[in-house]
Amino acid sequence: MQTAKRFVSRLTRQTLALVLAGGRGSRLHDLTKWRAKPAVPFGGKFRIIDFPLSNCINSGIGQVGVITQYKSHSLIRHIQRGWGFLRGELDEFVELLPAQQRIETSWYEGTADAVLQNLDIIRSHQPEYVLILAGDHVYKMDYGTMLAHHVENDADITVGCIEVPLDEASAFGVMSVDDELRVTEFVEKPEQPKPMPGQPGKALASMGIYVFSTQVLFDELMRDQQMDGESSHDFGKDIIPSVIKRLRVVAFPFRNPVENKPAYWRDVGTVDALWQANLELIGISPELNLYDSHWPIWTYQEQLPPAKFVFDDDNRRGMAVDSMVAGGCIVSGALVKHSLLFSQVKIHSYSEISDSVIYPDVEIGRHCHIRNALIDRGCRIPEGTRIGFDEADDRKRFHVSPKGIVLITPEMLGQDYPHGL
């Protein structure tokens, strides 16, 4: 056991992780109008980017680059504030890599191009392995196990994968594997995904996580660059499908080792998925346990007072039931049911909130009734507002998702966006 731990520890020390955090996240509509998807708040006090970054630190990977591009101000500020605790003298860092036109005179044109344009920086760190991560998924994962799988299988490239329902697989890269987990086919976002053998309702989907032996990465990026005009310079669309027959590409199934089932992993890329994943955390025993001290999620944390609940009259009682409430919140004579309140939310008397996700610095006036809502940072909800009860009326003012979740932003209310999205 100790030998195995030392083996994994050596691999993580020889690895550079690159988090691709430049995506627009257009399916989140107005939530990503002024912020990148990895900067979207999640879980009461975190941002989505905190999950892959925490996985790196908890896995023993202390060298991390975050590649940014789209409306990255709030993301950059969050990382500067919350991720500066690593020890530079031990060669540990979370390094920001914004689009700088280091090689081309264009911005990043795809996930592979984003890595290619930072090739000189990667070389300067001299890693044995490069771990490519998506910065917009929520999960807990020990990357050391995946690195060990990569080395033990003598792989050139290892692709993290998870089972997904067949009717959802068109949103992912879908792969087929042989009995030794070698990838035999890879199709990015197919219209008709191929089911897994023996499981007609499931497909094997890429998580957007790749381990490359470093020289293989360099060679394939340079090869892809020469295909300009024929390639979109994307790992899933171009590089992985093109190397399956030439190189040894191995799948790494992401599973819960205790229960022997697919592990928790969420692509919170739509309003419905984001709302649902947040409210799942309220459950008695949620799949994603934020209270797990053995695998903590690190983040920037403001110094705030405890949440407060005031008034205890029969018709004016400040209380929250079956909910999560972050620091700095004041529930004043209002009722909150099955909802998640981020920091510094203020809810005034006689209001009732249910099945809703309320982002930081929101103020909800008196006599409001709100359900099935996702309210963006800094909104000021006027007194007497009703949301989630009349879909036709909600559509006139707000964005309503396919499953009926109402997204409200300051701009929709005729208000200015707050500083610090």
Side-chain angles (χ1 to χ4, degrees), residues 40-48 50-51 290 297-299 342:
V40 169
F42 183 86
K45 61 186 293 184
F46 310 102
R47 295 187 186 240
I48 296 173
D50 292 324
F51 288 84
L290 296 180
I297 304 302
W298 305 88
T299 190
F342 284 69

Side-chain angles (χ1 to χ4, degrees), residues 69-323:
Q69 179 161 265
Y70 174 80
K71 295 185 177 177
S72 58
H73 174 71
S74 60
L75 177 64
I76 289 172
R77 190 174 63 173
H78 173 73
I79 291 171
Q80 287 174 333
R81 288 179 171 183
W83 288 92
F85 58 84
L86 299 181
R87 301 295 298 271
E89 60 269 32
L90 299 178
D91 206 19
E92 298 175 342
F93 55 82
V94 174
E95 194 168 66
L96 288 161
L97 303 172
Q100 302 174 68
Q101 300 184 356
R102 300 178 70 89
I103 294 177
E104 303 287 347
T105 57
S106 60
W107 302 115
Y108 298 147
E109 294 182 350
T111 55
D113 183 60
V115 176
L116 172 71
Q117 292 204 38
N118 289 286
L119 217 55
D120 59 324
I121 295 174
I122 299 171
R123 283 197 178 102
S124 71
H125 294 305
Q126 299 180 318
E128 288 287 326
Y129 310 100
V130 178
L131 174 66
I132 309 291
L133 302 169
D136 54 4
H137 298 143
V138 176
Y139 62 105
K140 291 183 177 183
M141 181 179 183
D142 185 349
Y143 299 136
T145 307
M146 185 174 175
L147 284 161
H149 181 83
H150 177 83
V151 174
E152 289 166 354
N153 284 274
D154 196 26
D156 297 305
I157 304 170
T158 299
V159 183
C161 58
I162 195 162
E163 298 171 18
V164 299
L166 189 65
D167 58 0
E168 298 175 13
S170 293
F172 305 98
V174 175
M175 66 182 79
S176 300
V177 299
D178 63 17
D179 293 340
E180 296 180 347
L181 293 177
R182 184 164 182 172
V183 179
T184 57
E185 186 179 4
F186 189 104
V187 182
E188 182 73 3
K189 298 182 179 178
E191 291 185 9
Q192 295 185 324
K194 184 180 291 188
M196 297 175 62
Q199 298 190 61
K202 298 280 188 180
L204 193 60
S206 168
M207 301 167 65
I209 299 176
Y210 312 104
V211 175
F212 281 83
S213 297
T214 302
Q215 192 57 52
V216 171
L217 176 65
F218 292 168
D219 293 343
E220 295 309 318
L221 288 176
M222 298 308 295
R223 191 189 304 269
D224 182 70
Q225 184 190 34
Q226 294 167 8
M227 300 289 289
D228 204 20
E230 301 176 35
S231 172
S232 58
H233 308 301
D234 186 88
F235 283 110
K237 290 180 184 176
D238 305 294
I239 288 188
I240 302 301
S242 73
V243 301
I244 287 171
K245 293 181 179 179
R246 290 190 289 107
L247 301 177
R248 185 169 175 79
V249 182
V250 174
F252 176 76
F254 181 39
R255 299 186 66 82
N256 183 324
V258 176
E259 301 178 17
N260 192 30
K261 67 177 185 179
Y264 178 96
W265 180 82
R266 295 290 185 273
D267 177 2
V268 288
T270 66
V271 171
D272 287 324
L274 181 63
W275 174 86
Q276 181 177 336
N278 272 287
L279 290 189
E280 284 174 350
L281 301 174
I282 293 169
I284 296 172
S285 300
E287 282 191 76
L288 179 65
N289 181 11
L290 296 180
Y291 299 86
D292 175 13
S293 60
H294 298 292
W295 200 269
I297 304 302
W298 305 88
T299 190
Y300 166 70
Q301 183 169 269
E302 293 180 271
Q303 299 303 309
L304 297 171
K308 183 164 72 170
F309 305 83
V310 295
F311 293 111
D312 189 23
D313 303 326
D314 288 341
N315 64 340
R316 191 188 188 194
R317 179 170 291 116
M319 61 185 295
V321 180
D322 195 23
S323 298

